[in-house]
């Protein structure tokens, strides 16, 4: 059977919310250089749209994380499979993520980056599956709080498919 894709956040809603998030980030950092750390791969479209709305000097780097566990849950055993190339010591750093689910991946990343002594470390995520959280992680900028279903599109994948869809959809398998 073909999976059903139910649109839940349209491309227009995403762009409108991005303008609000960027305005907030522009106010908070006002003229201070910022290193944006994108978490691959799901974040690539969100990050590309967001940084074009930022007014301070921005540098971009990426990490890729692998988390062990069943395919749809992370176990908390995480490792960095692609590390940063920029030095973040004494810099303002903003982690940009596509979706926060249990929070375990982000918790691990925050701990690893904090060890490098950035000047500040904050988090911006496009979507927040709040009710699935199993550990407490601070989120500074949140695009949308979303329901617990599996989301695809606008960079988000299911087994590497559907990243190219312009709207965020719920996948009904
Ligand atoms: P966490 O460690 O449970 O918070 O998992 C976060 C990661 O799992 C995200 O960065 C995504 O890569 C992936 N993920 C969690 N939920 C979804 C979803 O609904 N769609 C696509 N990827 C997801
Ligand atoms: Mg991710």
């Amino acid at each position: 059977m073909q999976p059903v894709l139910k649109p839940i956040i349209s491309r227009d809603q995403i762009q409108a919310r991005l303008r609000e998030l960027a305005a907030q980030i522009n106010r908070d950092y006002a003229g201070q250089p910022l290193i944006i750390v994108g978490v691959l791969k799901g974040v690539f479209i969100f990050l590309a749209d967001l940084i074009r709305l930022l007014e301070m000097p921005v540098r971009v780097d990426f990490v890729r994380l692998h988390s062990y566990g069943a395919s749809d849950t992370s176990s908390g055993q995480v490792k960095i499979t692609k590390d940063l190339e920029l030095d973040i010591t004494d810099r303002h750093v903003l982690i940009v993520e596509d979706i926060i689910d249990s929070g375990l991946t982000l918790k691990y990343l925050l701990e690893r980056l904090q060890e490098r002594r950035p000047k500040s470390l904050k988090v911006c995520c496009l979507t927040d599956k709040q009710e699935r959280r199993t550990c407490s992680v601070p989120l500074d900028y949140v695009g949308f709080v979303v329901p617990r279903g599996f989301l695809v599109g606008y960079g988000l994948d299911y087994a590497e498919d559907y990243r190219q869809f312009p709207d965020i959809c719920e996948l009904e398998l």
Side-chain angles (χ1 to χ4, degrees):
M1 219 176 67
Q2 282 290 338
V4 178
L5 290 165
K6 188 175 85 184
I8 63 163
I9 308 169
S10 73
R11 63 202 80 180
D12 293 342
Q13 285 173 303
I14 296 171
Q15 293 310 319
R17 185 72 186 116
L18 254 58
R19 285 192 288 276
E20 294 174 349
L21 286 179
Q24 222 181 325
I25 297 169
N26 284 329
R27 266 199 310 276
D28 291 353
Y29 292 91
Q32 307 190 73
L34 184 59
I35 296 186
I36 301 275
V37 172
V39 183
L40 292 171
K41 298 188 217 174
V43 82
F44 74 109
I45 297 179
F46 172 45
L47 186 146
D49 282 348
L50 181 70
I51 62 166
R52 283 178 283 179
L53 301 170
L54 298 182
E55 291 159 1
M56 75 292 287
V58 159
R59 290 183 179 171
V60 178
D61 205 347
F62 294 97
V63 288
R64 185 143 166 71
L65 301 164
H66 179 75
S67 107
Y68 301 90
S71 58
D72 65 341
T73 50
S74 56
S75 62
Q77 276 188 292
V78 185
K79 79 169 183 191
I80 296 179
T81 56
K82 185 235 168 286
D83 205 339
L84 291 178
E85 290 162 28
L86 297 178
D87 181 5
I88 60 167
T89 306
D90 212 27
R91 304 283 178 163
H92 291 297
V93 175
L94 182 63
I95 296 175
V96 181
E97 252 282 32
D98 51 2
I99 189 160
I100 312 296
D101 188 32
S102 68
L104 293 166
T105 310
L106 178 63
K107 182 169 188 280
Y108 175 85
L109 181 62
L110 280 167
E111 288 169 1
R112 294 292 76 75
L113 296 192
Q114 201 68 64
E115 291 166 0
R116 302 179 195 183
R117 302 268 169 257
K119 189 178 283 176
S120 70
L121 183 59
K122 289 194 189 182
V123 179
C124 172
C125 67
L126 178 63
T127 55
D128 176 12
K129 263 195 229 174
Q130 222 170 56
E131 50 178 321
R132 298 247 313 163
R133 200 64 36 79
T134 61
C135 63
S136 140
V137 278
L139 302 181
D140 301 282
Y141 309 96
V142 176
F144 302 92
V145 174
V146 292
R148 52 175 60 236
F150 202 85
L151 305 184
V152 297
Y154 196 68
L156 291 162
D157 73 307
Y158 174 72
E160 296 299 329
D161 288 327
Y162 312 116
R163 291 193 198 273
Q164 82 216 63
F165 288 12
D167 306 314
I168 296 178
C169 303
E170 190 177 334
L171 183 66
E172 294 172 354
L173 292 164

